Amino acid sequence: MTAQGNDLLKYRIALAGIKGMNVTAARRLLDVLGSEEALFTMDQREVERLTGLNAGVFGPEVRDSLLERAAKETEFVGASQIRPLFFTDKDYPGRLLECDDAPVLLYALGNANLNARHVIGIVGTRNATAYGVNFINRLVEELSSRIEDLLVVSGLALGCDVAAHRQAMKSGVPTAGVLAHGLDMIYPPENRNDAARMVAAGGALLTDYPRGTRPYRGNFLARNRIVAGMVDCLVVAESAADHGGALHTARIAREYNREVFALPGRTSDHYSGGCNKLIRRQVALLCERADDIIEAMGWTPLPAEGGQPQLFPDLSPEEETVMEYLRREGEGELNPMSVRIGLPVGKLIGVLMKLEMQGLILTMPGSRYRPA
């Protein structure tokens, strides 16, 4: 970056560093003052006269402090190959600009196109179960084969978030992780390797926090607005009914007029409670597979290759019967299922083992089985 470019970036970082600054306030300031530089070089009284504000932030000491911090951040950005995305830049997430409280400046590590034609957010509990992770894996895999120019967004947290990132990489889809801290660290540290792989695979790490910002609880709640705002739709895979960042993100997404989807689950399953509540209160649409999203969003899927695929390819009549039962009922317990479909328990166990090895069903505690 040229010296002139560095100066501009410094003023932009300083502007973004003003407490409470967002794109709405920044637009007003730039319309009145004409440039980012003017805010920090113009006489304080002149700034206050033009803006009609008598805020202490325009005092010389405050402005000098903002510029000093911004100069250091500019050096870090350049040395770390970080993409600064100011809200007037073409690479800034365009969907996010629809939100009044969008950040003025984002820091991106990686080259993902944040304005992909189709952007989906996937979030959920850090205590993801096999049921939730398997749903995420199937959903992303199905979308990757049917929707072009797709970007998967999540928060790089443990559980559902990192499952979405990992499956996106496995499916060859770029994925962006929105962080609640500066780019000089990765939290949680267990996901460092995943973060590096995401960037190397054409994805990105994204944050509105400068270096040195630690992952305080409030930062995660603020981070959720970026996830909700930069996507076309948001999927909640699993969440407890009474709390959780995923529910917070879903509420923000609805306020932003984004479509929200949720995976339903049994009423007795703790981490399906939040999803069931979102569906019951009509905050979210029920989602079991990619088609639910494609149809609701009006997305045009890629044409299928070859003929119509079989629902259960290469299965024996007994295996097809079991799969049809589980698809219809959603779940089955060993003994009741044996009675309902007329297969002896011993033979049914063998059929279930084969289906599990083929990745078609999941074994749950208590001799319960669900379709994968």
Side-chain angles (χ1 to χ4, degrees):
M1 186 178 292
T2 64
Q4 185 177 6
N6 278 336
D7 284 342
L8 177 59
L9 177 58
K10 180 183 68 174
Y11 290 123
R12 287 179 167 181
I13 292 174
L15 174 63
I18 298 174
K19 188 174 182 180
M21 185 60 60
N22 56 41
V23 294
T24 302
R27 283 194 184 102
R28 292 170 181 164
L29 282 174
L30 293 180
D31 285 345
V32 171
L33 300 177
S35 71
E36 300 87 342
E37 180 180 0
L39 177 61
F40 297 95
T41 58
M42 191 177 290
D43 179 76
Q44 177 184 350
R45 291 183 179 180
E46 183 67 5
V47 172
E48 292 176 347
R49 184 186 68 81
L50 290 172
T51 62
L53 300 173
N54 293 309
V57 71
F58 299 139
E61 292 184 1
V62 175
R63 288 192 284 178
D64 287 347
S65 177
L66 287 167
L67 287 174
E68 183 179 354
R69 291 199 298 269
K72 295 178 180 178
E73 190 69 19
T74 300
E75 293 179 3
F76 171 71
V77 166
S80 305
Q81 297 182 321
I82 292 169
R83 279 194 299 160
L85 303 175
F86 197 60
F87 76 98
T88 57
D89 294 339
K90 63 180 180 62
D91 290 338
Y92 187 98
R95 295 165 178 84
L96 195 55
L97 288 176
E98 301 169 5
C99 312
D100 290 339
D101 59 349
V104 172
L105 181 72
L106 292 167
Y107 301 99
L109 184 61
N111 297 315
N113 176 17
L114 305 177
N115 290 300
R117 194 184 313 172
H118 307 96
V119 184
I120 182 170
I122 301 176
V123 297
T125 177
R126 288 168 170 77
N127 300 297
T129 69
Y131 176 62
V133 171
N134 190 267
F135 162 74
I136 291 170
N137 291 344
R138 285 189 295 108
L139 179 67
V140 175
E141 184 178 9
E142 290 173 5
L143 287 172
S144 71
S145 64
R146 304 189 61 195
I147 299 298
E148 61 181 353
D149 196 13
L150 176 69
L151 175 69
V152 174
V153 178
S154 196
L156 197 63
L158 297 173
C160 291
D161 286 20
V162 76
H165 293 308
R166 288 171 179 168
Q167 184 58 46
M169 289 187 285
K170 184 178 179 180
S171 301
V173 174
T175 180
V178 185
L179 310 180
H181 50 77
L183 284 173
D184 54 336
M185 65 171 295
I186 293 295
Y187 180 87
E190 297 94 318
N191 291 346
R192 285 175 182 166
N193 288 339
D194 293 293
R197 288 175 53 227
M198 288 163 59
V199 173
L205 303 177
L206 191 67
T207 184
D208 62 330
Y209 292 106
R211 68 168 181 168
T213 305
R214 300 285 126 329
Y216 300 114
R217 184 178 184 277
N219 293 0
F220 289 96
L221 297 177
R223 176 274 307 273
N224 293 343
R225 81 193 192 285
I226 299 177
V227 175
M230 66 181 289
V231 302
D232 295 307
C233 61
L234 181 80
V235 179
V236 182
E238 285 187 304
S239 176
D242 53 348
H243 66 278
L247 295 183
H248 181 256
T249 308
R251 287 192 290 269
I252 297 174
R254 288 303 298 149
E255 291 173 2
Y256 289 163
N257 294 317
R258 303 296 189 256
E259 198 67 80
V260 178
F261 298 87
L263 171 68
R266 298 196 331 161
T267 56
S268 58
D269 289 350
H270 180 66
Y271 289 109
S272 290
C275 292
N276 291 341
K277 183 165 72 172
L278 289 173
I279 296 168
R280 185 171 63 252
R281 295 185 175 178
Q282 299 183 333
V283 175
L285 298 175
L286 184 150
C287 179
E288 296 177 306
R289 53 185 61 86
D291 280 341
D292 296 328
I293 294 173
I294 293 171
E295 292 173 7
M297 296 301 298
W299 290 350
T300 303
L302 295 169
E305 296 182 5
Q308 182 69 24
Q310 297 179 4
L311 184 59
F312 307 122
D314 302 324
L315 297 184
S316 68
E318 292 86 359
E319 291 167 347
E320 288 187 4
T321 299
V322 172
M323 285 304 305
E324 288 171 359
Y325 175 87
L326 291 176
R327 290 286 189 189
R328 183 175 66 252
E329 301 296 327
E331 182 177 284
E333 294 185 33
L334 183 62
N335 290 327
M337 187 162 42
S338 171
V339 174
R340 293 284 297 277
I341 65 179
L343 277 179
V345 170
K347 188 169 186 178
L348 179 57
I349 290 175
V351 171
L352 292 167
M353 289 179 63
K354 289 182 180 179
L355 292 174
E356 184 178 13
M357 291 175 65
Q358 295 180 66
L360 295 175
I361 66 171
L362 294 173
T363 301
M364 313 300 291
S367 297
R368 295 182 291 116
Y369 302 87
R370 288 180 178 176

